[in-house]
Amino acid sequence: MSVFRCLIPFVAAAAVMTAAVPRAAAQGQGGEAPPTPVTVVTLEASDVTLTSTLPGRVAASGLAEVRPQVSGIVTERLFIEGRPVARGDPLYRIDSASYEAAKAAAEAGLAQAEAQLRAAQREEARQQELRDRNVSSQQAFDDAIAQRDVAAAAVKVAEAQVLAAKIDLDRTTISAPISGTVGLSQTTQGALVTAGQVSPLTVIRKLDPVYVDVTQSAAEVLQWRRSGQVLAEEKGTTVSLRLADGEAYEHEGILAAAEPHVNEQTGVIVLRLEFPNPDSFLLPGMYVQVVMPQGVIKDAILAPQEGVTRDRRGRPVAMIVNGEDQVEMRELTVQRDQGNQWVVTQGLAPGDRIIVAGLQKVAPGMTVMPEERGAAEPAPAGN
């Protein structure tokens, strides 16, 4: 028992020496743990244009349904389906034999009327001569003048009949009323068509430019106009287009017009947008999304979304590294998202360094070692 009591001081001394070794080693390395490394982004202020994505469908800027204006049998189709046509290009031919006969009859009637007019004019001249010699009565002279006028009117009627016959004959060749891309033919050679029939023979669509009609609430339109935007091409109001596959359309469009009427049931306004389509990439009926400008926020901050979190009350907050490399927590006022960033109007200032990586390892008041995102070069492959 006395031997055990003698060993106790030596065991206690060894424990004290063992505990002192780590402290001495830590003091030899600087005495404190190094600052936590974090990745930051230095913020800048800029004017941010707010946008809204609206769904819409492409429509042709011009559309013509081709219908016959005279009746007859289709003898020939003169166009290739799906190809461009110019205004005035022949599309169909209708059997013209009966219309040629009608024109010939009208021309014969005109010739007869003109012969009768010449005869009436000669009779008028003869009666005028007899009247001057007091050989003929005034009544005979008046009758000659009346016959001349009737013959002249008959000539005008005959001329109108010739013109109508010529128009009908010309309409046996059905021409394109507008320039555009012609669709599929809805009739074939040998088919009987009638003037003004309900079903069109084919449809021509003008595809450059194209329209996109979208709807927007009246409240958003008012806000957009108060921001200084106008519905005019010369003011530079442009919009962009996103296709159904998510890709952006390469050409920008303009806000061409707005319907001056608000739908009473839905409270929306129809907006018409115009986009160039030189390659006929956009087709009528195609679903698209329009990125519409809504207004401009002056001196706003675009904060990376990965640097903004929410506190226990659901308020947006961000961790900022101050000039002393210490962490500060800021409460933010966020307007909306813009791509992969938040539009912040309060809580951040130009030059602030927001932490975007390493948030789980920091807390307010900690000293950190910030590194600007993108500043570090990637390590060479194989190292």
Side-chain angles (χ1 to χ4, degrees):
M1 186 68 178
S2 59
V3 175
F4 179 73
R5 289 179 179 177
C6 293
L7 291 176
I8 290 177
F10 294 100
V11 174
V16 171
M17 292 178 64
T18 304
V21 171
R23 287 197 297 268
Q27 292 177 357
Q29 296 178 358
E32 295 181 359
T36 302
V38 294
T39 303
V40 299
V41 171
T42 303
L43 303 175
E44 298 179 355
S46 61
D47 296 340
V48 178
T49 301
L50 299 181
T51 60
S52 177
T53 302
L54 304 175
R57 290 194 181 274
V58 178
S61 57
L63 185 144
E65 294 183 342
V66 180
R67 290 183 173 87
Q69 295 178 286
V70 294
S71 301
I73 301 295
V74 176
T75 59
E76 191 177 3
R77 174 167 65 88
L78 305 172
F79 66 92
I80 300 177
E81 297 169 315
R83 296 291 183 85
V85 295
R87 179 179 180 180
D89 286 352
L91 303 178
Y92 296 94
R93 283 202 177 95
I94 296 176
D95 185 17
S96 61
S98 60
Y99 297 100
E100 290 175 350
K103 180 185 176 184
E107 290 174 343
L110 174 60
Q112 183 179 10
E114 290 174 342
Q116 292 175 350
L117 174 60
R118 289 192 295 270
Q121 290 172 342
R122 287 193 299 269
E123 178 63 20
E124 178 197 6
R126 189 174 67 85
Q127 290 295 331
Q128 177 68 45
E129 182 180 354
L130 293 176
R131 180 60 182 164
D132 292 342
R133 294 187 304 177
N134 293 324
V135 175
S136 177
S137 66
Q138 181 66 36
Q139 180 63 42
F141 179 65
D142 292 342
D143 290 344
I145 293 176
Q147 291 297 326
R148 181 209 62 188
D149 293 341
V150 170
V155 169
K156 290 185 180 298
V157 172
E159 289 175 345
Q161 291 174 346
V162 170
L163 179 61
K166 184 178 183 301
I167 290 174
D168 286 344
L169 179 59
D170 291 340
R171 285 175 174 173
T172 58
T173 298
I174 303 175
S175 302
I178 64 172
S179 298
T181 302
V182 64
L184 301 179
S185 177
Q186 303 302 316
T187 190
T188 59
Q189 183 178 356
L192 173 65
V193 296
T194 58
Q197 64 184 34
V198 176
S199 60
L201 303 181
T202 189
V203 178
I204 301 175
R205 297 175 177 86
K206 185 178 180 180
L207 301 181
D208 187 21
V210 294
Y211 291 145
V212 176
D213 292 341
V214 298
T215 57
Q216 192 171 31
S217 69
E220 291 179 344
V221 172
L222 289 175
Q223 181 181 4
W224 187 72
R225 284 182 167 176
R226 284 197 180 102
S227 67
Q229 305 290 339
V230 291
L231 301 177
E233 179 182 359
E234 61 271 16
K235 297 298 182 181
T237 304
T238 59
V239 291
S240 57
L241 200 64
R242 189 177 300 131
L243 304 178
D245 58 359
E247 297 293 330
Y249 183 55
E250 59 180 341
H251 299 287
E252 288 187 335
I254 61 171
L255 181 55
E259 181 72 30
H261 169 73
V262 178
N263 189 301
E264 296 87 350
Q265 297 180 350
T266 60
V268 299
I269 297 175
V270 178
L271 304 178
R272 170 156 291 179
L273 314 172
E274 183 178 311
F275 288 86
N277 191 28
D279 301 323
S280 298
F281 191 76
L282 301 177
L283 298 177
M286 184 180 292
Y287 173 80
V288 293
Q289 289 182 321
V290 178
V291 182
M292 178 76 64
Q294 297 294 311
V296 178
I297 298 180
K298 300 291 185 180
D299 299 327
I301 299 293
L302 290 177
Q305 290 186 354
E306 60 270 27
V308 178
T309 58
R310 293 189 178 271
D311 60 11
R312 295 179 179 178
R313 297 183 180 180
R315 298 172 298 185
V317 295
M319 295 294 184
I320 304 299
V321 178
N322 61 19
E324 299 176 354
D325 290 343
Q326 293 182 342
V327 178
E328 297 179 0
M329 186 173 67
R330 303 271 185 88
E331 183 179 341
L332 311 180
T333 300
V334 176
Q335 287 287 339
R336 57 181 300 173
D337 64 304
Q338 187 87 332
N340 61 350
Q341 297 175 313
W342 294 111
V343 180
V344 179
T345 55
Q346 292 182 3
L348 297 175
D352 283 346
R353 295 179 293 175
I354 183 173
I355 299 176
V356 295
L359 285 170
Q360 68 278 8
K361 299 182 292 184
V362 300
M366 286 183 58
T367 300
V368 295
M369 183 173 62
E371 182 180 4
E372 190 75 18
R373 184 167 66 180
E377 296 293 335
N383 291 348

